[in-house]
Amino acid sequence: MSDSTPTDSKPAGSQTHPVFTRAQRKTCHAKRDAFFECLDANNIADPDKAGETCKDLRRIMYEKCPFEQMYVDRPE
């Protein structure tokens, strides 16, 4: 299973979001942290104003992090 593919198991109840493994969450958080460290290193307070700075890290973050697991809004 790849790091970005959720498992199909869901706890009993009405949960509608996929369940992600601990390893998948760890990967997501590491990629998110790398992106924000890049922003901090470049004194960028607003991720939407980063332009080309940290662009590759942002792309990787969104590839590895499902929308529901992130603490930033996905660009539209």
Side-chain angles (χ1 to χ4, degrees), residues 5 21-22 25 35 38 43 47 49 58 62 64:
T5 305
T21 67
R22 181 176 294 185
R25 288 191 310 272
F35 172 63
C38 178
N43 296 314
K49 296 181 180 176
R58 182 181 190 135
Y62 284 117
K64 295 296 181 184

Side-chain angles (χ1 to χ4, degrees), residues 10-65:
K10 295 180 183 176
S14 62
Q15 183 181 8
T16 59
H17 300 296
V19 177
F20 292 86
T21 67
R22 181 176 294 185
Q24 290 166 324
R25 288 191 310 272
K26 185 176 181 179
T27 298
C28 169
H29 293 166
K31 301 305 179 188
R32 181 200 61 210
D33 292 347
F35 172 63
F36 280 98
E37 287 170 7
C38 178
L39 295 177
D40 289 344
N42 288 283
N43 296 314
I44 300 171
D46 184 350
D48 292 332
K49 296 181 180 176
E52 293 295 311
T53 306
C54 310
K55 180 181 176 181
D56 290 337
L57 291 172
R58 182 181 190 135
R59 179 186 50 78
I60 292 167
M61 176 183 69
Y62 284 117
E63 287 174 1
K64 295 296 181 184
C65 295

